[in-house]
Amino acid sequence: MRWQSDTVVQVARHRRVFEVMVRGEIDYDESDLLNAAWDEADECGLPATVVDLTGLTFGDSQLLRSLLDARRRHQESGRAFVLLGPLHESVVRLLSISGTLEHFTLTDSRDAAMGAGGG
């Protein structure tokens, strides 16, 4: 049997913002896609990373671990880390039940998110 995933993680560099767009579902099998995106964000070192989760329909503890790790890495280097929604109810539930929702900067405004890098 062949394994196939419909999950897509794309990255884009803007003037002062590194953008990560996530579509589909993130669990153990896809978590390496996010880890690669965080590594690239670190290499670029732009003032902010915006994670577009508007197309994410499911995430488990691997998503949570990955987001928390990326947030920590950004904080340590003085860079902003913003989640762009609206978030799917299952993602809101994951962040709420884990008590981590308030630890993230969230916005439903793409303009506000992309302005996180300043200038």
Side-chain angles (χ1 to χ4, degrees):
M1 187 168 132
R2 190 167 165 246
W3 179 81
Q4 183 175 341
S5 173
D6 293 327
T7 299
V8 175
V9 175
Q10 295 177 309
V11 299
R13 291 180 191 102
H14 303 281
R15 186 168 171 260
R16 298 183 52 82
V17 175
F18 187 84
E19 184 177 17
V20 179
M21 295 154 284
V22 184
R23 303 289 181 262
E25 301 181 352
I26 296 289
D27 59 19
Y28 178 79
D29 292 324
E30 291 85 17
S31 62
D32 59 331
L33 298 172
L34 286 179
N35 294 334
W38 308 149
D39 289 344
E40 193 168 341
D42 287 347
E43 286 177 23
C44 288
L46 293 173
T49 296
V50 172
V51 186
D52 180 346
L53 298 178
T54 58
L56 182 68
T57 56
F58 173 80
D60 67 3
S61 61
Q62 285 299 124
L63 170 68
L64 180 61
R65 183 205 57 79
S66 184
L67 289 173
L68 288 169
D69 180 54
R71 178 184 164 273
R72 177 192 53 78
R73 290 161 68 167
H74 279 73
Q75 281 185 322
E76 288 174 355
S77 61
R79 296 178 292 136
F81 186 75
V82 179
L83 302 183
L84 174 61
L87 303 178
H88 189 274
E89 65 183 65
S90 67
V91 177
V92 172
R93 189 177 319 114
L94 173 70
L95 297 175
S96 296
I97 289 173
S98 64
T100 59
L101 184 64
E102 65 273 1
H103 295 282
F104 291 99
T105 301
L106 297 160
T107 184
D108 288 349
S109 165
R110 181 169 179 75
D111 289 339
M114 297 307 281

